[in-house]
Amino acid sequence: MKAFSYERIDDAAQAAARAFEVPGSKFIAGGTNLLDLMKHEIEVPAHLIDINGTGLDDIVATDEGGLRIGALVSNTALGADERIKRDYPVLSRALFAGASSQLRNKASTGGNLLQRTRCPYFYDPAMPCNKREPGAGCAALDDGADTRQLGVIGTSDHCIATHPSDMAVALRVLDAEVETVSPEGQTRRLTLDEFYALPGDTPEVENALEPGEIITGVVLPAPVGGRQRYYKVRDRASYAFALVSVALIETDDGKGRVALGGVAPKPWRREDADAELGNGAEAVMAKLLDGARPTEENAYKLTLAERTLAALLAKE
Amino acid sequence: MDFNQSADENLFDHARIIGKPHTRVDGALKVTGTAPYAYERHNVAENPLVGYPLGSSIAKGRITRMDATAARSAEGVAAVITALDIDELPRADSNVAKLFGGEWVEHYHQAIAVVIADTLEQARAATRLIEVEYEEIPGEFDLDDAWKRLQDRDVVSHVGDVDAAFDSAEFTLDETYHTASHSHAMMEPHATIADWCDGKNMTLWTSNQMIEWTRQALATTFELDADNIRLESPYIGGGFGGKLWLRADAVLAALGSRETGRPVKVALPRPFIFNNATHRSGTVQRLRIAANKDGRITAFDHSAISHTLPGGSGEDAVNQTRCFYAGENRRVAHHAIDMNLPESADMRAPGEATGLAVLEIAMDEMAEKLGMDPVEFRILNDTQVNPEEPSKRYSDRHFVECLQKGAETFGWAARNTTPGGKREGQWLIGQGMAGAYRGSPTLDSGARVRLSEGRLIVETDMTDIGTGSYTIIAQTAAETMGLEMRDVDVRLGNSAYPSASGSGGQMGAASSTAGVYAACVALQGEITKRLGVESARFENGQVVSGDKSVALRDVAQGEELVGEDSLHFGDFKDELEIGTFGAHFVEVAVNAYTGETRLRRMLSVCDAGRILNPITARSQVLGGMTMSIGAALTESLNVDTARGFFPNHDLAGYEIAVHADIPDMEVIFLDTQDGASTPLKAKGVGELGICGGAAAVANAMYNATGIRLRDYPLTLDRMLDRLPGA
Ligand SMILES: Cc1cc2nc3c(=O)[nH]c(=O)nc-3n(C[C@H](O)[C@H](O)[C@H](O)COP(=O)(O)OP(=O)(O)OC[C@H]3O[C@@H](n4cnc5c(N)ncnc54)[C@H](O)[C@@H]3O)c2cc1C
Ligand code: SF4
């Protein structure tokens, strides 16, 4: 871990301004991802701005009938919130499918969105990784690499890593928006699709945040109802990232929405695939996974995604 | 004390304390966090510095340049020692990989430098400032390639005429299987505080299963007189064979201490557990079985390969096939291939854990071919002699009773026998079983007991790696001396104490308690001599001879009486097969759509001689069963065959079983005693639980799905296409 300076700022806009002003700044919320990465010197912030005092830790109703979740609401509090459990159960289920209870107690909503990939080569500083060190090359793309957990779609010739969050997959299927404040104090909202970037030839750029910009919250639109499910498939029964996960909302009119985790650099959803839900899992995946480029080792994820959706759609 | 013939009826057959359920005597220390583990022994060495290792980033080659200038001038850094600063350290016989020094790199994350600093953070940060250049040499990392290339297998043994037996057999099986490489992945990493400040006398507070081996290895490595080396390892946060050896933590801490003149502590960072320390090699195995239609096996032909660094012996997966089941013709071959992966070495039940994972699937397949129940098939092929050497009989073998008891308790008779034939909603339900076998060797073991004012102190360099050694040793001493558990203090893991078996190869419990018994008998001799009597009984805290009775508290009149002895195991044991046996029964649910496999219940029945303490023994078997579930379903050190290392080198990527994976588990011990093993008639049990368990899971999965998997771990991607779904 490199030496760094540290301060607490209790106002989001001021924190953003300060982050813009001090080179090498990073926000720290729960620290459950950032500190691990700092120990490996994968993240080397010169200055940490602790935002735990910003008061962004409540969940309030919006005028549109939805909810606004503060960026510092913990994963535990969010998953256990009565309104979330009742009106957005897919989100509650996704949260409780993630990490462990200790981690969820510390993990924040904003930090969860920004957690970094679990690609094993990203985590090993001795390995070439374009995401960690732009232009260094990608160890995961070499013949013989361990790619079983890595991405099958939305990837590029520079990076095939996935985004590991469960929460974000549920937020994507719920059409949530990320709310931010810029160093100049300007607020904006981005859909999850707009928020996350695909790797292309700049895998180090993972989202649309501008320098200093801080996440203040996540806004959920009015409840959509329907049958909401989150199915996370992993090798062991708990405490593992998804091989594939499926967030599903089926509404009474036979329509619905589906998003995938564990397959792409961001929660994966296509509205034209949603439209196929009435035609079964195969039809949905034909659209949703169109253009997939799996490795030999992770091609099973295509089958698994389809079968997991089929399991959710099956009436048994 | 010499143990030259099987034990007759003795005090342990009428025991008060041995064989009874005593909770761990060290339990309170552990749950209160006060048991002194190596890295946190803050009171043993004044103001230690902290060392952090740098690992090689290539698998094979030569270091051409190292520049530690920036690291040396970094804040808080007291010293940097690079591999180029010193010659390659001499290697002890027990070490295969080189631990430090010199330009050559043999495997990824070989330690190539250590930074010594005031704090861990400073040391760690400074390692990143060391510049290293290499000349890389292509290495070999792919076991499957080696297997394909391999023509002549090293035949370990061949009895009868295997080829003829296969030619004439009515039923044959011939399949190839894979097991993955495994990491011990124990909770506590290798860790050492070293005080070698004067470059002469070395003291290590460390975490090590084998005190005397390691003291000798240190003597060789540092060209010291072993008498100048002291080791303490009283508490060990898991070992599983990973801490049998001298490893880089101790070497780097010692070098750092000599260099700085200060005590230095080093813990291996978690990724080093996977790529710097040892692991269990993966295997490729081909297994052929021939049988007549009555179900009798006529031949086994088992060959396997594993990887090793030059000079090592790999993972011998064929050993149990030589003796576990009957059959006149048998051939086994094992090839340890030199490869440039980290050092493969012993891990819990080396050989049997991987060999039985395969043999016991093959037995299931063979039973099916024969149309026999897999339990019946095993019973029919039981043997009471070593089939390779029929003059050698099993000292005490109750495998058949394990199978019968297990089948009855589990409800085996009621199971669905049509693979894929039982479904509950989206889940396919299956049951499977497997046999378990593990040898039960013993090693000469010594101890010293000191009696003072009615309290007994037991000292031996035996270790407790979480197994319960403290407790069973206290039980043995209390039993023998006629004392209560509360009268006995046990001190372990110190090179100042008499040498015992250490913890490995499931030898520890049987061997070390026998040594403690010998020492107690020596003390009894001292006491009777002191009292001037021929013989005496030791009961209720009293020495009783004829009508004379003296309290043990009073025999020495304020002095300390000492008994010290070793138990020497005689050659008569070589004429016998001494082993432990078991049967596992498993029920699984496999998701018909996704292939997720979840255990529902598991039962293991064990025949392991006298169970010294059913609580600690049960924990050992449960731990073994749990590890076998990990081996079956999730554990794999994935090999990057391009770069030659295990990339999933943390506890997120290397998936050991977690609580949610472990369902209802039941352990039953048969009430057996093996007088040929030790005076206590006890055998090992620490490794039996892992043997065969993985195959029981595999067989249950087959019963659930009708899909036969032969490659571990049995992950969903291997069967997804073939599952029924709806
Ligand atoms: C062992 C383990 C297992 C895990 N398993 C899972 C799992 O199964 N599923 C899953 O989804 N997750 C899992 N996680 C990840 C976990 O969910 C994240 O670590 C956590 O959500 C991060 O939140 P945090 O508040 O601790 O973020 P931090 O570590 O504090 O921050 C993470 C990043 O977000 C930035 N950041 C934080 N808050 C803001 C803000 N308001 N505005 C702008 N930037 C901000 C930080 O600068 C940093 O770059 C696991 C983590 C661990 C350690
Ligand atoms: S896949 Fe992406 S994160 Fe992984 S090594 Fe390649 S560039 Fe790095």
Side-chain angles (χ1 to χ4, degrees), chain B residues 122-173:
Chain B
Q122 291 167 335
R124 185 171 55 196
T127 58
R128 299 295 298 278
L129 302 174
I130 300 172
E131 290 170 28
V132 190
E133 283 168 25
Y134 304 92
E135 188 185 306
E136 222 175 322
I137 300 172
E140 172 157 20
F141 312 115
D142 193 331
L143 198 62
D144 263 311
D145 280 355
W147 171 257
K148 284 178 204 133
R149 231 181 25 240
L150 199 65
Q151 292 304 324
D152 299 317
R153 313 256 148 88
D154 281 351
V155 172
V156 179
S157 87
H158 187 172
V159 177
D161 188 339
V162 166
D163 296 325
F166 274 93
D167 287 345
S168 63
E170 286 160 321
F171 288 87
T172 59
L173 175 89

Side-chain angles (χ1 to χ4, degrees), chain A residues 117 119-123 127-132 137-141 150 158-162 203:
Chain A
T117 184
C119 169
Y121 300 97
F122 173 75
Y123 257 86
M127 289 294 133
C129 168
N130 288 322
K131 195 185 263 307
R132 205 176 350 91
C138 167
L141 285 167
L150 302 185
H158 302 273
C159 179
I160 59 168
T162 61

Side-chain angles (χ1 to χ4, degrees), chain A residues 26-36 43 51 71 75 97-99 103 106-108 110-112 114-115 118 164-167 209 213-216 232 234 239-241:
Chain A
K26 276 234 147 222
F27 303 118
I28 181 163
T32 59
N33 190 222
L34 183 59
L35 290 175
D36 274 1
E43 298 267 19
I51 54 172
N75 288 180
L103 284 158
K106 290 298 285 179
S108 67
N112 190 316
L114 291 176
Q115 64 174 297
R118 293 282 161 169
S165 170
D166 291 299
M167 181 190 81
L209 291 176
E213 190 172 3
I214 187 170
I215 299 175
T216 48
K232 178 175 181 181
R234 41 191 160 179
Y239 205 44
F241 290 93

Side-chain angles (χ1 to χ4, degrees), chain B residues 462-692:
Chain B
M462 176 62 193
T463 48
D464 187 326
I465 63 174
T467 40
S469 309
Y470 279 103
T471 311
I472 57 172
I473 284 174
Q475 286 175 265
T476 306
E479 185 77 58
T480 311
M481 296 308 298
L483 291 167
E484 297 302 324
M485 290 289 277
R486 61 174 178 272
D487 301 325
V488 181
D489 289 322
V490 179
R491 297 176 184 170
L492 300 181
N494 190 320
S495 62
Y497 304 151
S499 182
S501 61
S503 302
Q506 76 167 14
M507 297 186 286
S511 305
S512 69
T513 52
V516 170
Y517 169 67
C520 288
V521 170
L523 176 63
Q524 290 179 345
E526 287 299 311
I527 293 170
T528 47
K529 199 163 80 194
R530 169 77 61 130
L531 297 178
V533 296
E534 281 284 292
S535 67
R537 298 195 314 278
F538 291 78
E539 51 192 37
N540 301 327
Q542 307 279 317
V543 196
V544 185
S545 178
D547 50 12
K548 220 165 111 184
S549 170
V550 187
L552 268 181
R553 198 180 318 107
D554 301 327
V555 286
Q557 287 142 357
E559 273 176 59
E560 180 176 79
L561 290 182
V562 179
E564 180 172 340
D565 199 3
S566 283
L567 200 289
H568 302 290
F569 294 98
D571 296 343
F572 80 98
K573 290 188 136 197
D574 301 342
E575 311 296 311
L576 294 164
E577 279 301 329
I578 304 179
T580 60
F581 310 89
H584 301 287
F585 292 81
V586 165
E587 182 173 309
V588 298
V590 181
N591 190 285
Y593 290 83
T594 63
E596 294 154 283
T597 299
R598 302 290 177 247
L599 256 77
R600 291 187 148 191
R601 59 192 178 110
M602 184 168 186
L603 163 71
S604 299
V605 183
C606 303
D607 163 29
R610 170 167 284 128
I611 297 304
L612 300 169
N613 180 334
I615 293 180
T616 53
R618 179 171 179 276
S619 291
Q620 281 302 296
V621 177
L622 286 177
M625 291 158 73
T626 301
M627 261 176 148
S628 78
I629 294 169
L633 295 177
T634 52
E635 286 186 49
S636 167
L637 285 169
N638 301 333
V639 183
D640 181 322
T641 54
R643 292 192 157 76
F645 78 118
F646 305 124
N648 54 334
H649 48 53
D650 59 31
L651 291 172
Y654 183 80
E655 293 190 16
I656 57 169
V658 294
H659 283 88
D661 293 305
I662 304 304
D664 278 352
M665 309 271 269
E666 194 181 341
V667 180
I668 296 174
F669 293 111
L670 296 187
D671 181 18
T672 58
Q673 297 91 37
D674 193 340
S677 180
T678 78
L680 286 83
K681 307 182 184 177
K683 296 192 279 202
V685 73
E687 298 184 337
L688 183 60
I690 195 177
C691 296

Side-chain angles (χ1 to χ4, degrees), chain B residues 375 388 612 663:
Chain B
V375 172
E388 267 191 2
L612 300 169

